[in-house]
Amino acid sequence: MATILFFIALLHCFTVTVFAKLAHRFEKGSAGEAFFHLLSEVEIVFGFWAFVFLVMWFFIDGAEAVIKHQESLNMTEPLFIFCIMILASTRPIVTLARGAILSLTGFIGRLISVNPRLIQFYCLMLFGPLLGSVITEPAAITLVALLLYRMIDPQISEKFLYGILALLFVNISVGGGLTHFAAPPILIVAGTWGWGLKDVFINLGEPVLLAVTVNTTLFTYFFRKRIVSELNLIEADQYPMPIWVTLSHILFLVLLVMTAHHPQVFMGLFLIFIGLTTVTKNYQDGLKFKEGLLVAFFLAGLIVFGPFQRWWLEPIITSMSEKALYFAATALTGITDNAALTYLGSQVPTLTEASKWALVSGAISGGGLSILANAPNPAGFSILSSRFPNGALNALKLLLAALPLTIVVVISFLLIGNF
């Protein structure tokens, strides 16, 4: 039953535009319009079908079985993403990131004579995702998406828009692969497999840096005319930000990252941070609680379904060579969250060391193929969704835009990957 509903949820993810069109058939403000509009939100899908699954299970086996299952699940990652998304999207952090991009752009602009829009876009899409290896992927995609939102003109062509989203998703998924605590598919297995910072950087560092650099360079080159004509410059913040406010936000960001495995600790820190934003409200925009909750709900739904997919994923994982496993993991990531995929792999005690690296490499390689391939993706899309027609995502168009970029990643890992 869980597997059937899981694949219904997958199908739902690829057909959200249908629900968006259905919503328009009802009177504005009616229950029907609200219901179908809700179902057109990608972030809602897995949480919605997980709820349906738990209700059906309740009527079959009773409350005790459902409660026992829920208590056995580790919801640390959804809670962490909820907190880090809100903190990373505050005005002091975004102002700092924008200032860094503008400073870097100005420095490069003095060295070479290139249109500043090209430099800003290139720096943002190259260094932003790599920053995800330090401040975590959810925080990085939030920062980059917020700055992209300022650059993207509402009249931007749809093809170019999907290309930008695909580059964001692919680079974020790969860019977090330099450390053991930033990317969800690595974070979720690092403890089980005893991986530290040195292990991850040595085994994944070179292909990660190569893939992100090549993808950003090629995309900027081939779309240079559109970047110049259809993107806006990121402007400097007109309102000065006191340094103590920025430093306090950086401190909380660092503390949240350091305590990412301890929900009781980082939730306590987050509540204190909410108090800080109240004290500093003159330097804040509205906190993005809705976006954080939607993404956490999405990931929590995947976690509810995850343990019930082991029966069909485990035989696939254990029967393949390292390279075959890499290709399979890259492809499977497109239809199932890559953290769930590596988590299931960590439950297989017979995996060789090479197979472990192949599985993780494949999981981060395919993280841009769909909205559900990488846990931070819904966070990025939720920020940029208003730039898309009807606020809905066409899964096929995203897949087609992400394929060439993913091929570059695959070639990078095949050339210098450690499996």
Side-chain angles (χ1 to χ4, degrees), residues 11-150:
L11 180 63
H12 186 164
C13 274
F14 283 85
T15 56
V16 287
T17 52
V18 175
F19 292 94
K21 291 176 182 177
L22 286 173
H24 292 301
R25 296 185 179 182
F26 293 86
E27 184 181 348
K28 192 170 183 178
S30 66
E33 190 265 349
F35 177 70
F36 283 106
H37 179 72
L38 181 71
L39 294 183
S40 70
E41 299 276 359
V42 174
E43 299 93 333
I44 290 292
V45 173
F46 275 91
F48 172 78
W49 288 105
F51 173 72
V52 172
F53 165 64
L54 294 175
V55 170
M56 292 174 66
W57 191 3
F58 168 78
F59 284 109
I60 294 171
D61 284 338
E64 186 176 348
V66 176
I67 293 172
K68 186 176 180 181
H69 170 67
Q70 288 298 96
E71 289 180 338
S72 72
L73 300 176
N74 183 359
M75 291 292 177
T76 299
E77 192 176 351
L79 287 172
F80 176 71
I81 285 179
F82 168 71
C83 296
I84 202 76
M85 262 196 72
I86 294 172
L87 200 158
S89 61
T90 54
R91 194 204 299 175
I93 297 294
V94 175
T95 299
L96 178 66
R98 182 170 57 246
I101 293 294
L102 290 173
S103 299
L104 188 59
T105 301
F107 175 74
I108 296 175
R110 287 191 291 271
L111 299 177
I112 55 176
S113 180
V114 178
N115 188 291
R117 286 179 174 83
L118 289 173
I119 299 175
Q120 282 193 354
F121 181 81
Y122 185 81
C123 291
L124 180 61
M125 301 306 287
L126 175 63
F127 297 112
L130 291 176
L131 183 64
S133 286
V134 180
I135 64 171
T136 75
E137 286 184 359
I141 200 170
T142 301
L143 284 172
V144 176
L146 284 168
L147 293 176
L148 277 175
Y149 184 85
R150 293 170 180 264

